[in-house]
Amino acid sequence: WRGEGRRHAGRVEAPPTYAFCSLLFRGLESSVLRTYMLPLAAAALLSTAAVAWPDGSPAPKCGPKAARPITPTKTAAYEAAVARGSAVPSVLLCRPFDDGNVGAAARAMLNFGLSDLRLVDPTAHAQSDEAVLRASGAAPILRRCETHETAADAVADLQLVLATTARPRESRIPVYAPREAMALAAAAIARGERVGLMFGSEKNGLSNAELDAANAIVTIPTFPGFSSLNLAQAVLLVCYEWGAIAEGENQYEVARQAYDADEAAAEAEGGSGARAPLGQVDSLLRFWEERLWEANFFGGNRALHSQYGPEEGRAQERSRAAAAMAKLRRLVLRAQPSKGEASLLRGSLQALVVPKGGGRGAVEDGGGDSEREQEREG
């Protein structure tokens, strides 16, 4: 219309058709716009196509980002990450409560080629609208993530678990910086072991029971007095160090080679092979504890004759047993037994309980022979 208008004193005068349309619209906007146009616009927004997962099934909608289909490039990246399998670490989130943090953690994982996400006793919903929105193109990771009741269940098939915490406890397990820890993870994976990266709840981090399920601690160097990191930020930092270790040269290459050489020497001397999964270690320790209870190493007269009564005595013995078994677990994990060594240890404990070739009577007969020899010597 500007081309059709007339200029008067340096200004453009609108043609009569525009002026008429403008007056007409102003007169109708209060009724027509509200009655017809706004409902039509809302219906158009609600009728937008929903995003689809790579397998074609519908995914949750949450705003314009979540409503966008996952691009072929991101789908290819996800499929390539899944194809890596156990050649990359798993990520374990213990008791996460914020949906968005779970989604953002999944996005951080896919940024560096990780795809195996495990949730331990979560409050958060991994497939909620907020989680999908924050995950962006990594939303398929949320759909295939596993959920476990306890940390021990989540790490059962892993040989090396690195727990990230800002407060190293007096747990007597090694503490590493992220880059050092990822060098250990790369070396373990090169030996055919499975590795997990464990992160704690946004509220209070990792519990003692969750730390007991780990082989080592990872502490991110932060400014003193303000060490608390967002969960997804912590995942991103550790995954970045994994990517740096896995894709390029690093200053720990010589240390890794020396470590591998030591492992090869141990194998040649009779040894080790792949490290025992933590599930096998936990099974060994449960067996060990059961035998100690049967032998009255725990419980027995100590519980029955407690000055606080039998019930309190039994409770005290359970606490003593838990503390003792935690120490034994740390001892076993420091030794890094192979599958064969863990089986050998369990078999030897079983033989002490029920010896082959005569059962418990063989022990009693042996004891009688010893007493008779002492009498003869006397």
Side-chain angles (χ1 to χ4, degrees):
W1 63 268
R2 290 184 182 275
E4 301 175 2
R6 299 190 301 273
R7 291 186 177 274
H8 293 285
R11 61 185 177 84
V12 177
E13 181 180 340
T17 53
Y18 173 77
F20 174 77
C21 291
S22 178
L23 289 174
L24 179 62
F25 179 76
R26 289 176 184 175
L28 297 177
E29 64 177 346
S30 60
S31 58
V32 175
L33 182 63
R34 294 175 184 172
T35 305
Y36 298 104
M37 299 302 292
L38 292 180
L40 287 174
L45 289 175
L46 292 175
S47 64
T48 54
V51 64
W53 297 100
D55 61 5
S57 59
K61 294 183 295 183
C62 181
K65 281 192 175 181
R68 295 174 185 167
I70 297 174
T71 64
T73 301
K74 291 180 179 179
T75 300
Y78 165 73
E79 292 172 351
V82 171
R84 290 184 172 188
S86 59
V88 295
S90 302
V91 172
L92 299 85
L93 305 183
C94 296
R95 295 173 290 110
F97 72 89
D98 184 80
D99 298 2
N101 279 337
V102 175
R107 182 175 186 173
M109 290 171 58
L110 191 54
N111 283 148
F112 298 97
L114 282 66
S115 64
D116 183 23
L117 176 62
R118 308 181 185 189
L119 305 181
V120 178
D121 189 22
T123 303
H125 299 284
Q127 298 182 43
S128 70
D129 292 348
E130 178 65 17
V132 171
L133 173 64
R134 296 284 296 278
S136 189
I141 290 179
L142 300 175
R143 194 176 190 194
R144 70 186 297 269
C145 73
E146 301 176 0
T147 301
H148 300 269
E149 293 185 2
T150 65
D153 293 339
V155 304
D157 62 331
L158 306 177
Q159 282 95 346
L160 176 64
V161 176
L162 304 169
T164 302
T165 177
R167 303 184 303 275
R169 274 74 160 187
E170 294 298 327
S171 56
R172 298 183 182 179
I173 62 177
V175 179
Y176 299 102
R179 190 164 300 177
E180 296 173 308
M182 293 306 100
L184 293 176
I189 288 175
R191 294 193 298 270
E193 299 176 0
R194 303 194 67 177
V195 176
L197 310 177
M198 181 186 291
F199 299 85
S201 170
E202 301 96 322
K203 291 183 178 180
N204 48 21
L206 291 167
S207 68
N208 289 331
E210 289 159 353
L211 282 174
D212 286 341
N215 303 82
I217 286 175
V218 182
T219 296
I220 298 172
T222 53
F223 188 72
F226 198 72
S227 58
S228 178
L229 284 170
N230 172 266
L231 173 60
Q233 291 175 338
V235 173
L236 179 66
L237 285 170
V238 176
C239 289
Y240 165 78
E241 293 294 351
W242 164 257
I245 289 290
E247 301 299 335
E249 297 181 358
N250 61 86
Q251 58 182 315
Y252 299 100
E253 186 65 33
V254 174
R256 284 218 310 270
Q257 291 175 356
Y259 184 81
D260 290 343
D262 291 343
E263 286 289 299
E267 265 189 69
E269 291 175 0
S272 52
R275 189 168 5 190
L278 293 179
Q280 183 182 6
V281 173
D282 288 335
S283 177
L284 164 65
L285 291 169
R286 285 194 297 270
F287 174 81
W288 198 340
E289 182 178 0
E290 290 169 0
R291 303 292 81 78
L292 290 176
W293 279 100
E294 290 177 1
N296 287 332
F297 184 83
F298 302 132
N301 292 333
R302 192 182 294 103
L304 294 175
H305 301 295
S306 171
Q307 60 178 331
Y308 303 104
E311 287 297 325
E312 182 64 24
R314 281 189 285 270
Q316 290 177 349
E317 282 301 290
R318 285 193 292 270
S319 298
R320 191 174 76 89
M325 295 311 299
K327 291 180 180 179
L328 287 174
R329 191 178 196 281
R330 291 193 292 269
L331 171 65
V332 173
L333 290 179
R334 280 200 301 272
Q336 299 182 2
S338 67
K339 295 179 181 179
E341 290 167 343
S343 297
L344 176 62
L345 180 56
R346 178 166 181 158
S348 62
L349 291 172
Q350 179 67 35
L352 290 174
V353 175
V354 183
K356 292 182 179 179
R360 296 182 186 273
V363 176
E364 295 173 359
D365 291 344
D369 291 341
S370 178
E371 291 175 359
R372 285 191 291 272
E373 289 177 1
Q374 290 177 4
E375 290 174 359
R376 285 197 298 269
E377 288 176 0

Coordinates of all heavy atoms in Angstrom, one line a residue, residues 186-264:
A186 N 39.0 -47.2 31.1 CA 39.4 -47.6 29.7 C 40.3 -48.9 29.8 O 40.2 -49.7 28.9 CB 40.2 -46.5 29.0
A187 N 41.2 -48.9 30.8 CA 42.0 -50.1 30.9 C 41.2 -51.3 31.3 O 41.5 -52.4 30.7 CB 43.1 -49.9 32.0
A188 N 40.2 -51.2 32.1 CA 39.4 -52.3 32.5 C 38.6 -52.8 31.3 O 38.4 -54.0 31.1 CB 38.4 -51.9 33.6
I189 N 38.0 -51.9 30.5 CA 37.2 -52.3 29.4 C 38.1 -53.0 28.3 O 37.7 -53.9 27.7 CB 36.5 -51.0 28.8 CG1 35.4 -50.6 29.7 CG2 36.0 -51.3 27.4 CD1 34.7 -49.3 29.3
A190 N 39.4 -52.5 28.2 CA 40.3 -53.1 27.3 C 40.6 -54.6 27.7 O 40.9 -55.4 26.8 CB 41.6 -52.3 27.2
R191 N 40.4 -54.9 29.0 CA 40.6 -56.3 29.5 C 39.4 -57.1 29.4 O 39.3 -58.2 29.8 CB 41.1 -56.2 30.9 CG 42.5 -55.7 31.1 CD 43.0 -56.0 32.5 NE 42.1 -55.4 33.6 CZ 42.2 -54.2 34.1 NH1 43.2 -53.4 33.6 NH2 41.4 -53.7 35.0
G192 N 38.3 -56.5 28.8 CA 37.1 -57.2 28.7 C 36.1 -57.1 29.8 O 35.1 -57.8 29.9
E193 N 36.4 -56.2 30.8 CA 35.5 -56.0 31.9 C 34.4 -55.0 31.7 O 34.5 -54.1 30.7 CB 36.4 -55.5 33.1 CG 37.4 -56.6 33.5 CD 38.3 -56.1 34.6 OE1 38.1 -55.0 35.1 OE2 39.2 -56.9 35.0
R194 N 33.4 -55.0 32.5 CA 32.3 -54.0 32.3 C 32.4 -53.0 33.4 O 32.7 -53.3 34.6 CB 30.9 -54.7 32.4 CG 30.8 -55.8 31.4 CD 29.3 -56.3 31.2 NE 28.5 -55.2 30.7 CZ 27.2 -55.3 30.4 NH1 26.6 -56.5 30.6 NH2 26.5 -54.3 29.9
V195 N 32.2 -51.7 33.1 CA 32.4 -50.6 34.0 C 31.2 -49.8 34.2 O 30.4 -49.6 33.2 CB 33.5 -49.7 33.4 CG1 33.8 -48.5 34.3 CG2 34.8 -50.5 33.3
G196 N 31.0 -49.3 35.4 CA 29.8 -48.5 35.7 C 30.3 -47.2 36.3 O 31.2 -47.2 37.1
L197 N 29.6 -46.1 36.0 CA 29.8 -44.8 36.6 C 28.6 -44.4 37.5 O 27.5 -44.3 36.9 CB 30.0 -43.7 35.5 CG 31.0 -44.0 34.4 CD1 31.1 -42.9 33.4 CD2 32.4 -44.3 35.1
M198 N 28.8 -44.3 38.8 CA 27.7 -44.1 39.7 C 27.6 -42.7 40.2 O 28.6 -42.1 40.6 CB 27.8 -45.1 40.9 CG 26.7 -45.0 41.9 SD 27.0 -46.1 43.3 CE 26.9 -47.7 42.6
F199 N 26.3 -42.2 40.2 CA 26.1 -40.8 40.7 C 24.9 -40.9 41.7 O 24.0 -41.7 41.6 CB 25.7 -39.9 39.5 CG 26.7 -39.8 38.5 CD1 26.8 -40.7 37.5 CD2 27.7 -38.8 38.5 CE1 27.8 -40.6 36.5 CE2 28.7 -38.7 37.5 CZ 28.7 -39.6 36.5
G200 N 25.0 -40.0 42.7 CA 24.1 -40.0 43.8 C 22.9 -39.1 43.6 O 22.8 -38.4 42.6
S201 N 22.0 -39.1 44.6 CA 20.8 -38.3 44.5 C 21.1 -36.8 44.6 O 22.1 -36.4 45.2 CB 19.9 -38.7 45.7 OG 18.8 -37.8 45.8
E202 N 20.2 -36.0 44.0 CA 20.4 -34.6 44.0 C 20.3 -34.0 45.4 O 20.9 -33.0 45.8 CB 19.3 -33.9 43.2 CG 19.3 -34.3 41.7 CD 18.3 -35.3 41.4 OE1 18.2 -36.3 42.2 OE2 17.7 -35.3 40.3
K203 N 19.6 -34.7 46.3 CA 19.3 -34.2 47.6 C 20.5 -34.4 48.6 O 21.0 -33.5 49.2 CB 18.1 -34.9 48.3 CG 16.8 -34.5 47.6 CD 15.6 -35.1 48.3 CE 14.3 -34.7 47.7 NZ 13.1 -35.3 48.4
N204 N 21.1 -35.7 48.6 CA 22.1 -36.0 49.6 C 23.2 -36.9 49.0 O 23.9 -37.5 49.8 CB 21.5 -36.6 50.8 CG 20.5 -37.7 50.5 OD1 20.6 -38.3 49.4 ND2 19.6 -38.1 51.4
G205 N 23.3 -37.0 47.7 CA 24.4 -37.7 47.1 C 24.3 -39.2 47.4 O 23.2 -39.8 47.4
L206 N 25.4 -39.9 47.5 CA 25.4 -41.4 47.6 C 25.4 -41.8 49.1 O 26.1 -41.2 49.9 CB 26.7 -42.0 47.0 CG 26.7 -41.9 45.4 CD1 28.1 -42.2 44.9 CD2 25.7 -42.8 44.8
S207 N 24.6 -42.8 49.4 CA 24.5 -43.3 50.7 C 25.7 -44.2 51.0 O 26.4 -44.6 50.0 CB 23.2 -44.1 50.9 OG 23.2 -45.3 50.1
N208 N 25.9 -44.6 52.2 CA 27.0 -45.5 52.5 C 26.8 -46.9 51.9 O 27.8 -47.5 51.4 CB 27.1 -45.7 54.0 CG 27.7 -44.5 54.7 OD1 28.4 -43.7 54.1 ND2 27.3 -44.2 56.0
A209 N 25.6 -47.3 51.8 CA 25.3 -48.6 51.2 C 25.6 -48.5 49.7 O 26.1 -49.5 49.1 CB 23.8 -49.0 51.4
E210 N 25.3 -47.4 49.0 CA 25.6 -47.3 47.6 C 27.1 -47.2 47.4 O 27.7 -47.7 46.4 CB 24.9 -46.0 47.1 CG 23.4 -46.2 47.0 CD 22.6 -44.9 46.9 OE1 23.2 -43.9 47.1 OE2 21.4 -45.0 46.7
L211 N 27.8 -46.5 48.3 CA 29.3 -46.4 48.2 C 29.9 -47.8 48.4 O 31.0 -48.1 47.8 CB 29.9 -45.5 49.2 CG 29.7 -44.0 48.8 CD1 30.2 -43.1 50.0 CD2 30.5 -43.7 47.6
D212 N 29.3 -48.6 49.2 CA 29.8 -50.0 49.4 C 29.8 -50.8 48.2 O 30.5 -51.8 48.0 CB 29.0 -50.7 50.5 CG 29.4 -50.2 51.9 OD1 30.5 -49.6 52.1 OD2 28.6 -50.4 52.9
A213 N 28.9 -50.5 47.2 CA 28.8 -51.2 46.0 C 29.8 -50.8 44.9 O 29.8 -51.3 43.8 CB 27.4 -51.0 45.4
A214 N 30.7 -49.8 45.3 CA 31.7 -49.3 44.4 C 33.1 -49.8 44.7 O 33.4 -50.1 45.8 CB 31.6 -47.8 44.4
N215 N 34.0 -49.8 43.6 CA 35.4 -50.1 43.8 C 36.2 -48.9 44.2 O 37.3 -49.0 44.8 CB 35.9 -50.7 42.5 CG 35.2 -52.0 42.1 OD1 34.1 -51.8 41.5 ND2 35.7 -53.1 42.4
A216 N 35.8 -47.7 43.7 CA 36.6 -46.5 43.9 C 35.7 -45.3 43.8 O 34.6 -45.4 43.4 CB 37.7 -46.4 42.8
I217 N 36.3 -44.2 44.3 CA 35.6 -42.9 44.4 C 36.2 -42.0 43.4 O 37.4 -41.9 43.2 CB 35.6 -42.3 45.8 CG1 34.7 -43.1 46.7 CG2 35.2 -40.8 45.8 CD1 34.8 -42.7 48.2
V218 N 35.3 -41.2 42.7 CA 35.7 -40.1 41.8 C 35.3 -38.8 42.4 O 34.1 -38.6 42.7 CB 35.1 -40.3 40.4 CG1 35.6 -39.2 39.5 CG2 35.4 -41.7 39.8
T219 N 36.2 -37.9 42.6 CA 35.9 -36.6 43.1 C 36.2 -35.5 42.1 O 37.4 -35.4 41.7 CB 36.6 -36.3 44.4 OG1 36.2 -37.3 45.4 CG2 36.3 -34.9 45.0
I220 N 35.3 -34.7 41.7 CA 35.5 -33.6 40.8 C 36.1 -32.4 41.5 O 35.4 -32.0 42.5 CB 34.2 -33.2 40.1 CG1 33.6 -34.5 39.3 CG2 34.3 -32.0 39.1 CD1 32.2 -34.2 38.7
P221 N 37.2 -31.9 41.1 CA 37.8 -30.8 41.8 C 37.0 -29.5 41.6 O 36.8 -29.1 40.5 CB 39.2 -30.6 41.2 CG 39.1 -31.3 39.8 CD 38.0 -32.4 40.0
T222 N 36.4 -29.0 42.7 CA 35.6 -27.8 42.7 C 36.1 -26.8 43.7 O 37.0 -27.1 44.5 CB 34.1 -28.1 43.0 OG1 34.1 -28.9 44.3 CG2 33.5 -29.0 42.0
F223 N 35.6 -25.6 43.7 CA 36.0 -24.6 44.6 C 35.6 -24.9 46.0 O 34.5 -25.4 46.3 CB 35.3 -23.2 44.2 CG 35.8 -22.1 45.0 CD1 37.1 -21.5 44.7 CD2 35.0 -21.5 45.9 CE1 37.5 -20.4 45.4 CE2 35.5 -20.4 46.6 CZ 36.7 -19.9 46.4
P224 N 36.6 -24.8 47.0 CA 36.3 -25.2 48.4 C 35.0 -24.4 48.9 O 34.9 -23.2 48.7 CB 37.5 -24.8 49.1 CG 38.6 -24.8 48.1 CD 37.9 -24.3 46.8
G225 N 34.2 -25.2 49.6 CA 33.0 -24.6 50.2 C 31.8 -24.5 49.3 O 30.7 -24.2 49.7
F226 N 32.0 -24.9 48.0 CA 30.8 -24.9 47.1 C 31.1 -26.0 46.1 O 31.3 -25.8 44.9 CB 30.7 -23.5 46.4 CG 29.3 -23.3 45.8 CD1 28.2 -23.1 46.6 CD2 29.2 -23.4 44.4 CE1 27.0 -22.9 46.0 CE2 27.9 -23.2 43.8 CZ 26.8 -22.9 44.7
S227 N 31.0 -27.2 46.6 CA 31.3 -28.4 45.8 C 30.1 -29.0 45.2 O 30.2 -30.0 44.4 CB 32.1 -29.4 46.6 OG 31.3 -29.8 47.8
S228 N 28.9 -28.6 45.5 CA 27.7 -29.3 45.1 C 27.5 -29.0 43.6 O 27.4 -27.8 43.2 CB 26.5 -28.8 45.9 OG 25.3 -29.4 45.4
L229 N 27.3 -30.0 42.8 CA 27.1 -29.9 41.4 C 25.7 -30.4 41.0 O 25.2 -31.4 41.7 CB 28.1 -30.7 40.6 CG 29.5 -30.2 40.4 CD1 30.5 -31.2 39.8 CD2 29.5 -28.9 39.6
N230 N 25.1 -29.9 40.0 CA 23.9 -30.4 39.5 C 24.2 -31.8 39.0 O 25.3 -32.1 38.4 CB 23.4 -29.5 38.4 CG 22.2 -30.2 37.6 OD1 22.4 -30.8 36.6 ND2 21.0 -30.0 38.1
L231 N 23.2 -32.7 39.1 CA 23.4 -34.1 38.7 C 23.8 -34.3 37.3 O 24.8 -34.9 36.9 CB 22.1 -34.9 39.0 CG 22.1 -36.4 38.5 CD1 23.2 -37.2 39.2 CD2 20.8 -37.0 38.8
A232 N 23.1 -33.6 36.4 CA 23.4 -33.7 35.0 C 24.7 -33.1 34.6 O 25.5 -33.6 33.7 CB 22.3 -33.0 34.1
Q233 N 25.1 -32.0 35.4 CA 26.4 -31.4 35.1 C 27.5 -32.4 35.5 O 28.6 -32.5 34.8 CB 26.6 -30.1 36.0 CG 25.7 -29.0 35.5 CD 25.8 -27.8 36.4 OE1 26.1 -27.9 37.6 NE2 25.5 -26.6 35.9
A234 N 27.4 -33.1 36.6 CA 28.4 -34.1 37.0 C 28.5 -35.2 36.0 O 29.6 -35.6 35.7 CB 28.0 -34.6 38.4
V235 N 27.4 -35.7 35.5 CA 27.4 -36.7 34.5 C 28.1 -36.2 33.2 O 29.0 -36.9 32.6 CB 26.0 -37.2 34.1 CG1 26.0 -38.1 32.9 CG2 25.3 -37.8 35.3
L236 N 27.9 -35.0 32.9 CA 28.5 -34.4 31.7 C 30.0 -34.3 31.9 O 30.8 -34.6 30.9 CB 27.9 -33.0 31.4 CG 28.5 -32.3 30.2 CD1 28.1 -33.0 28.9 CD2 27.9 -30.8 30.1
L237 N 30.5 -33.8 33.0 CA 31.9 -33.7 33.2 C 32.6 -35.0 33.2 O 33.7 -35.2 32.5 CB 32.1 -33.0 34.6 CG 31.9 -31.5 34.7 CD1 31.9 -31.1 36.1 CD2 32.9 -30.8 33.9
V238 N 32.1 -36.0 33.8 CA 32.7 -37.4 33.8 C 32.7 -38.0 32.5 O 33.6 -38.6 32.0 CB 32.1 -38.3 34.9 CG1 32.7 -39.7 34.8 CG2 32.3 -37.7 36.3
C239 N 31.5 -37.8 31.8 CA 31.4 -38.4 30.4 C 32.4 -37.7 29.5 O 33.0 -38.3 28.5 CB 30.0 -38.3 29.9 SG 28.8 -39.4 30.7
Y240 N 32.6 -36.4 29.7 CA 33.6 -35.7 28.9 C 35.0 -36.3 29.0 O 35.7 -36.5 28.1 CB 33.6 -34.2 29.2 CG 34.8 -33.5 28.7 CD1 34.9 -33.1 27.3 CD2 35.9 -33.2 29.5 CE1 36.0 -32.5 26.9 CE2 37.1 -32.6 29.0 CZ 37.1 -32.2 27.7 OH 38.3 -31.6 27.2
E241 N 35.4 -36.5 30.3 CA 36.7 -37.1 30.5 C 36.8 -38.5 29.9 O 37.8 -38.9 29.4 CB 36.9 -37.2 32.0 CG 37.1 -35.9 32.7 CD 38.4 -35.1 32.2 OE1 39.2 -35.7 31.5 OE2 38.5 -33.9 32.6
W242 N 35.7 -39.3 29.9 CA 35.7 -40.5 29.2 C 35.9 -40.3 27.7 O 36.7 -41.0 27.1 CB 34.4 -41.3 29.4 CG 34.2 -42.4 28.4 CD1 33.4 -42.4 27.3 CD2 34.9 -43.7 28.4 NE1 33.6 -43.6 26.6 CE2 34.5 -44.4 27.3 CE3 35.8 -44.2 29.3 CZ2 35.0 -45.6 27.0 CZ3 36.3 -45.5 29.0 CH2 35.9 -46.2 27.9
G243 N 35.2 -39.4 27.1 CA 35.4 -39.1 25.7 C 36.8 -38.7 25.4 O 37.4 -39.1 24.4
A244 N 37.4 -37.9 26.3 CA 38.8 -37.5 26.0 C 39.8 -38.7 26.1 O 40.8 -38.8 25.4 CB 39.2 -36.4 27.1
I245 N 39.5 -39.6 27.1 CA 40.4 -40.7 27.3 C 40.2 -41.7 26.1 O 41.2 -42.2 25.5 CB 40.1 -41.4 28.6 CG1 40.6 -40.6 29.8 CG2 40.7 -42.8 28.6 CD1 42.0 -40.5 29.9
A246 N 39.0 -41.9 25.7 CA 38.7 -43.0 24.7 C 39.1 -42.5 23.3 O 39.5 -43.4 22.5 CB 37.2 -43.3 24.8
E247 N 39.0 -41.3 23.0 CA 39.2 -40.8 21.6 C 40.6 -40.3 21.3 O 41.0 -40.2 20.2 CB 38.2 -39.7 21.3 CG 36.7 -40.2 21.4 CD 36.4 -41.3 20.5 OE1 37.0 -41.5 19.5 OE2 35.4 -42.1 20.9
G248 N 41.3 -39.9 22.3 CA 42.6 -39.3 22.1 C 43.7 -39.8 23.0 O 43.5 -40.6 23.9
E249 N 44.9 -39.3 22.7 CA 46.1 -39.7 23.6 C 45.9 -38.9 24.9 O 45.4 -37.9 25.0 CB 47.4 -39.3 22.9 CG 47.6 -40.0 21.6 CD 49.0 -39.7 21.0 OE1 49.6 -38.8 21.5 OE2 49.3 -40.2 19.9
N250 N 46.5 -39.5 26.0 CA 46.4 -38.9 27.3 C 47.6 -39.2 28.1 O 48.4 -40.2 27.8 CB 45.2 -39.4 28.0 CG 45.2 -40.9 28.2 OD1 45.7 -41.3 29.2 ND2 44.6 -41.6 27.3
Q251 N 47.8 -38.5 29.1 CA 49.1 -38.6 29.9 C 49.1 -39.9 30.8 O 50.1 -40.2 31.4 CB 49.2 -37.4 30.9 CG 48.0 -37.2 31.8 CD 48.1 -36.0 32.7 OE1 49.2 -35.8 33.2 NE2 47.1 -35.2 32.8
Y252 N 48.0 -40.6 30.8 CA 48.0 -41.9 31.6 C 48.2 -43.1 30.8 O 48.1 -44.2 31.2 CB 46.6 -42.0 32.4 CG 46.4 -40.8 33.3 CD1 45.6 -39.8 32.9 CD2 47.0 -40.8 34.5 CE1 45.4 -38.7 33.8 CE2 46.8 -39.7 35.4 CZ 46.0 -38.7 35.0 OH 45.8 -37.6 35.9
E253 N 48.6 -42.9 29.5 CA 48.7 -44.1 28.6 C 49.9 -45.0 29.1 O 49.7 -46.2 29.1 CB 49.1 -43.6 27.2 CG 49.1 -44.7 26.2 CD 47.8 -45.4 26.0 OE1 46.8 -44.7 26.1 OE2 47.8 -46.6 25.7
V254 N 51.0 -44.4 29.6 CA 52.1 -45.2 30.1 C 51.7 -46.0 31.3 O 52.0 -47.1 31.5 CB 53.3 -44.3 30.4 CG1 54.4 -45.1 31.0 CG2 53.8 -43.6 29.1
A255 N 50.9 -45.3 32.2 CA 50.5 -46.0 33.4 C 49.5 -47.1 33.1 O 49.6 -48.2 33.7 CB 49.8 -45.0 34.3
R256 N 48.7 -46.9 32.1 CA 47.8 -48.0 31.7 C 48.5 -49.2 31.1 O 48.2 -50.4 31.4 CB 46.8 -47.5 30.7 CG 45.7 -46.7 31.2 CD 44.3 -46.9 30.5 NE 44.5 -46.9 29.1 CZ 44.3 -45.8 28.3 NH1 44.0 -44.7 28.9 NH2 44.4 -45.8 27.0
Q257 N 49.5 -48.9 30.3 CA 50.3 -50.0 29.7 C 51.1 -50.8 30.8 O 51.2 -52.0 30.8 CB 51.3 -49.4 28.7 CG 50.6 -48.9 27.5 CD 51.6 -48.2 26.5 OE1 52.8 -48.1 26.8 NE2 51.1 -47.8 25.4
A258 N 51.6 -50.1 31.8 CA 52.3 -50.7 32.9 C 51.3 -51.6 33.7 O 51.7 -52.7 34.1 CB 53.0 -49.7 33.8
Y259 N 50.1 -51.1 33.9 CA 49.1 -51.8 34.6 C 48.7 -53.1 33.9 O 48.6 -54.2 34.4 CB 47.9 -51.0 34.9 CG 46.8 -51.6 35.7 CD1 46.9 -51.6 37.1 CD2 45.7 -52.2 35.1 CE1 45.9 -52.2 37.9 CE2 44.7 -52.8 35.9 CZ 44.8 -52.8 37.3 OH 43.9 -53.4 38.0
D260 N 48.6 -53.0 32.6 CA 48.2 -54.1 31.7 C 49.4 -55.2 31.7 O 49.1 -56.4 31.7 CB 47.9 -53.7 30.3 CG 46.6 -52.9 30.2 OD1 45.8 -53.0 31.1 OD2 46.4 -52.2 29.2
A261 N 50.6 -54.7 31.8 CA 51.7 -55.6 31.8 C 51.7 -56.4 33.1 O 52.0 -57.6 33.1 CB 53.0 -54.8 31.6
D262 N 51.4 -55.7 34.2 CA 51.4 -56.4 35.5 C 50.3 -57.4 35.5 O 50.4 -58.5 36.0 CB 51.1 -55.4 36.6 CG 52.3 -54.5 36.9 OD1 53.4 -54.8 36.4 OD2 52.1 -53.4 37.5
E263 N 49.1 -57.1 34.9 CA 48.0 -58.1 34.8 C 48.4 -59.3 34.0 O 48.1 -60.4 34.3 CB 46.8 -57.4 34.2 CG 46.1 -56.4 35.1 CD 45.4 -57.2 36.3 OE1 44.5 -58.0 36.0 OE2 45.8 -56.9 37.4
A264 N 49.1 -59.0 32.9 CA 49.5 -60.2 32.0 C 50.5 -61.0 32.8 O 50.5 -62.3 32.7 CB 50.2 -59.6 30.8

